[in-house]
Amino acid sequence: MKKSILLLMSVQFFVYLGFGLIIPILPEVIVQQGLSEVHVGGLLTIYALASFFTAPLWGALSDRSGRKKLILIGLVGFSLSFFLFALFIENIFLLYISRVVGGIFSGALYTAVTGFVADITTEENRNKYMGFLGMSIGLGFIFGPALGGVLGHISLQAPFLGSGILTSLLLIYASIVLKEPQRKSDANKRAILPKGGAMLWQYRIRNLFLMSFMVTIVLAGVESTFQLFQITKIEITPIQIGYLFIASGLVDAAIQGGVVRRVKNGTEPQWIIGAQVVTAIGLLLIPFTNSLFWAGFSLSVFTAGNALARTVLVSLTSKECGGKYGTAAGMTYSMDNMGRIFGPLLFTWLFTQQGGNLYYASAGLAVVAIILIVLFKNSTKSLHELKAVSN
């Protein structure tokens, strides 16, 4: 594999590791300062908002000024956000500023990295290398909370200082290894609404986009409230939450490597429905936590269902898009981002009002979302079929 691809995978890994790193630390920071739990959701949401709205602007800039330059700028800003969070961890206003900085520059890295890969790949192997980037993103989501919890046992600042240093080293390595690629006309920036996206919403694939939003908003909601709830139930510590996320990460990996490959073509809707039922069961188990084991068990059940739904949903969307892979992927990315924008703020607010009862409502939401898959199955307005007819 090319050195540049490995480096770009590392960049994506650190971007999403940085997103997850804060999850087990943030509740401790907010609780220790006696602030409202809503700030947990606010600090997660503002990061996603900053990334979502600035990514298209960074994409246009990378088309004009070059991918490598933007990656280096992004790494500088991203590492700065880690150091800001560590240094001003007791100042809520500056914590918001650090999250805005992190979100802005993660948007720069996302667009520049995907544009870079599009420039150095062909139509034949692009999906393969984009898949590698997706794998790196998934690993970042898995190891971010785990690393944050384990290093947070040393100090609440340690995960951010460590990540800031590692990102700075990655910046030095990238400046040496990366060579500006030859630009391709089809390597476009990501738009908030991908080109041709409106057309896709006329077909039944729209139900899959909405399902992606539903799956992600529940995931983001659990990520933002799980530790807050466990603090009240079993006085969980950051290192314990880190261990739980490691366990749930292993469950996620087992689902990706062992279960998903058993999904036969044409059976995806049934698997997604089953996955949503498992997700709901995991959510219903959370309020009954009375020990660390039960907390880990309920989180793992939830993770198994959510991971299965997410992965099979991506596969089904790629089959249903009528060959418009890039447009469908961009739309799914946008819907995922919307889930990460609204999920943390909504769920932490509900937590302040309802406590653990919010998980019953979340389970209901997971089950109700099955309606979208039923609507998808019952609809005949398929891009997949349209492509087959046109061929």
Side-chain angles (χ1 to χ4, degrees):
M1 191 183 297
K2 298 177 182 178
K3 283 185 179 180
S4 56
I5 291 292
L6 287 172
L7 178 60
L8 295 172
M9 288 174 62
S10 300
V11 170
Q12 291 293 72
F13 172 79
F14 272 100
V15 168
Y16 287 88
L17 179 115
F19 182 89
L21 197 71
I22 196 173
I23 291 171
I25 302 298
L26 195 51
E28 283 289 324
V29 172
I30 298 303
V31 168
Q32 285 185 13
Q33 295 185 43
L35 299 170
S36 170
E37 290 94 339
V38 173
H39 286 295
V40 175
L43 287 164
L44 291 172
T45 292
I46 201 166
Y47 179 99
L49 273 171
S51 177
F52 181 74
F53 285 109
T54 60
L57 303 177
W58 285 117
L61 184 60
S62 77
D63 286 339
R64 293 196 303 267
S65 63
R67 316 295 188 199
K68 178 178 178 178
K69 182 186 294 185
L70 205 64
I71 288 173
L72 298 182
I73 291 172
L75 287 171
V76 169
F78 202 56
S79 62
L80 175 63
S81 72
F82 285 126
F83 291 126
L84 279 174
F85 197 98
L87 293 174
F88 300 102
I89 200 165
E90 295 183 353
N91 186 314
I92 187 64
F93 174 75
L94 290 177
L95 288 186
Y96 273 100
I97 296 297
S98 74
R99 294 298 286 169
V100 169
V101 171
I104 288 173
F105 286 99
S106 73
L109 289 169
Y110 176 85
T111 53
V113 167
T114 52
F116 199 114
V117 172
D119 284 335
I120 63 176
T121 55
T122 64
E123 289 283 345
E124 289 72 27
N125 65 12
R126 188 167 302 158
N127 283 343
K128 171 185 174 182
Y129 288 110
M130 288 296 184
F132 286 146
L133 292 186
M135 180 180 69
S136 302
I137 290 171
L139 289 172
F141 274 132
I142 290 171
F143 288 104
L147 182 64
V150 173
L151 291 181
H153 185 62
I154 300 171
S155 75
L156 295 181
Q157 292 94 332
F160 302 97
L161 290 173
S163 295
I165 292 170
L166 287 174
T167 306
S168 299
L169 293 175
L170 188 61
L171 166 66
I172 297 170
Y173 185 62
S175 66
I176 298 171
V177 172
L178 284 184
K179 306 297 180 186
E180 182 65 28
Q182 183 177 353
R183 200 70 45 79
K184 290 183 180 178
S185 59
D186 61 344
N188 295 323
K189 62 184 182 295
R190 181 186 73 82
I192 290 179
L193 182 65
K195 186 178 180 181
M199 183 274 290
L200 292 181
W201 282 86
Q202 299 173 26
Y203 294 87
R204 69 177 189 172
I205 195 174
R206 64 178 176 268
N207 295 298
L208 302 184
F209 295 145
L210 292 171
M211 188 68 184
S212 181
F213 169 77
M214 296 294 285
V215 169
T216 304
I217 196 172
V218 171
L219 173 62
V222 171
E223 287 176 342
S224 59
T225 59
F226 184 77
Q227 186 177 356
L228 287 170
F229 177 68
Q230 299 303 342
I231 288 174
T232 65
K233 293 290 285 188
I234 58 174
E235 298 182 348
I236 201 166
T237 63
I239 193 169
Q240 289 175 330
I241 203 75
Y243 291 149
L244 295 192
F245 275 114
I246 289 174
S248 67
L250 292 174
V251 170
D252 192 305
I255 293 294
Q256 307 285 352
V259 178
V260 172
R261 65 181 180 178
R262 300 180 185 275
V263 178
K264 294 182 180 179
N265 188 37
T267 65
E268 292 91 350
Q270 293 94 308
W271 280 90
I272 294 172
I273 290 172
Q276 287 297 101
V277 172
V278 174
T279 297
I281 292 172
L283 290 165
L284 290 174
L285 291 174
I286 293 175
F288 295 98
T289 298
N290 57 12
S291 66
L292 188 64
F293 171 80
W294 190 267
F297 175 70
S298 59
L299 180 62
S300 294
V301 173
F302 166 78
T303 299
N306 189 268
L308 182 58
R310 280 185 288 114
T311 308
V312 178
L313 188 59
V314 169
S315 176
L316 182 57
T317 302
S318 69
K319 294 177 182 179
E320 185 63 28
C321 68
K324 298 181 180 298
Y325 304 113
T327 305
M331 185 61 69
T332 299
Y333 178 84
S334 294
M335 297 305 289
D336 286 344
N337 265 282
M338 294 298 288
R340 290 198 171 275
I341 288 169
F342 291 108
L345 204 55
L346 174 63
F347 275 65
T348 49
W349 178 78
L350 287 173
F351 178 76
T352 63
Q353 304 299 309
Q354 301 293 327
N357 290 333
L358 79 92
Y359 295 111
Y360 299 131
S362 303
L365 197 62
V367 173
V368 168
I370 292 174
I371 294 173
L372 293 168
I373 298 301
V374 174
L375 291 173
F376 169 82
K377 287 182 64 179
N378 293 339
S379 174
T380 57
K381 199 168 184 182
S382 171
L383 272 169
H384 180 71
E385 297 299 329
L386 186 66
K387 184 185 179 186
V389 170
S390 65
N391 289 341

